[in-house]
Amino acid sequence: MKKFWIGAGLVCALTLAGCGGEKTEAPKQAESAAPAAGGAAATPDEANGATITGRVSFDGAKPSPKTLDMSATPFCEKAHAGTPVKSEEVIVNGNGTLKNAFVWVKSGLPDKNWQVPTSAVTIDQHGCMYQPHVIGVMTGQNVDIKTSDSTNHNLHPQPTGNPEWNETQPPGSEDKMKTFARQEVMIPVKCNIHPWMRAYIGVVSHPFFAVTGEDGSYTIKGLPPGTYTIQVWHEKYGTQEQTITVGAKDSKTQDFSIKG
């Protein structure tokens, strides 16, 4: 009888979870970490994918930018050699387009894990202004925050879907390297010391986005064939969306017109 119970115990020990016990499963990886087909993260196929280009035009009388009052901090005022500094809230280019509009593929992409760039996107605090005013990054991509000023600054992003943080950056201090884990368009950034300082960060889970510059244009390359919702965002005028269908190696134009 003793040998019988010893043998039975060995049988129990060799089962998946023991006699009468529950099966224990290995922990699953988070879905967001799943690799794309083939085991590697996807990158835009610029040779075979589609390219969308366009302009974000401004429809209306060109507004007069507000002059920023930097007199509370002598360093900031002197940094501009007495030249009045204008707000970057609305910049209408010479060709009637808008600068600092964020354009991105809002929906329609295949469900893939897209490769995060190893290079950082830089924001500098120069002359008590954020340069550039609007940037785009991928989720998990480094944002390199520098200061070129000989005065204290305070970095205070105000996301709704990512953790909020608030940190001081004194003159000559090391860069602050930050990332955002969740898609969020857009995240405002302010300086609690200098209330006129404002920047915006577009955080996207894929690489198909752009920021308009001094000619108001944008280009998005390497899109797989499909139908997409393209959204443009502007800090004063909100968002606008258009739908576009592209095939392999297509080159299409999608313009936007924003009323002032």
Side-chain angles (χ1 to χ4, degrees):
M1 182 64 70
K2 183 177 181 180
K3 291 181 178 180
F4 169 80
W5 288 113
I6 291 173
L10 289 171
V11 172
C12 290
L14 292 172
T15 58
L16 288 174
C19 291
E22 296 181 356
K23 183 179 180 181
T24 303
E25 295 184 356
K28 295 180 179 179
Q29 289 185 331
E31 290 184 6
S32 59
T43 57
D45 185 356
E46 295 188 7
N48 299 298
T51 298
I52 299 175
T53 58
R55 299 199 315 170
V56 181
S57 61
F58 180 76
D59 181 9
K62 185 176 180 178
S64 298
K66 180 176 67 175
T67 299
L68 301 176
D69 181 7
M70 297 185 176
S71 59
T73 307
F75 169 85
C76 298
E77 193 171 41
K78 290 177 181 177
H80 298 277
T83 303
V85 183
K86 302 297 183 179
S87 167
E88 294 183 300
E89 182 182 42
V90 179
I91 297 178
V92 179
N93 298 314
N95 62 353
T97 60
L98 279 171
K99 185 178 180 179
N100 293 324
F102 186 77
V103 185
W104 68 298
V105 176
K106 183 180 178 182
S107 64
L109 283 167
D111 187 14
K112 291 184 178 181
N113 176 33
W114 296 94
Q115 180 69 50
V116 177
T118 56
S119 58
V121 178
T122 299
I123 295 179
D124 190 14
Q125 295 159 106
H126 183 73
C128 302
M129 297 286 283
Y130 290 118
Q131 296 181 358
H133 186 62
V134 176
I135 65 168
V137 297
M138 278 189 65
T139 50
Q141 185 177 7
N142 281 327
V143 181
D144 182 6
I145 305 171
K146 301 175 178 291
T147 181
S148 299
D149 288 339
S150 297
T151 189
N152 283 333
H153 286 300
N154 172 265
L155 295 159
H156 189 181
Q158 298 176 292
T160 58
N162 286 277
E164 185 173 352
W165 50 272
N166 188 348
E167 298 179 12
T168 299
Q169 194 168 21
S173 61
E174 294 182 353
D175 296 3
K176 291 185 181 292
M177 203 70 71
K178 300 291 184 179
T179 62
F180 298 93
R182 299 181 182 88
Q183 179 168 283
E184 188 167 347
V185 178
M186 303 284 285
I187 298 176
V189 182
K190 70 176 185 177
C191 173
N192 292 339
I193 300 172
H194 308 113
W196 62 83
M197 291 181 68
R198 181 73 61 162
Y200 293 88
I201 302 174
V203 183
V204 184
S205 61
H206 56 73
F208 303 105
F209 56 83
V211 179
T212 60
E214 295 181 356
D215 63 354
S217 69
Y218 74 91
T219 300
I220 296 175
K221 295 182 178 181
L223 278 167
T227 299
Y228 299 100
T229 299
I230 311 296
Q231 184 185 80
V232 59
W233 168 96
H234 188 272
E235 67 179 281
K236 181 174 177 64
Y237 300 118
T239 61
Q240 188 182 118
E241 295 178 1
Q242 302 276 4
T243 300
I244 189 169
T245 299
V246 295
K249 299 185 179 182
D250 263 355
S251 291
K252 289 195 173 180
T253 300
Q254 183 64 71
D255 293 327
F256 292 88
S257 179
I258 295 180
K259 280 190 171 293

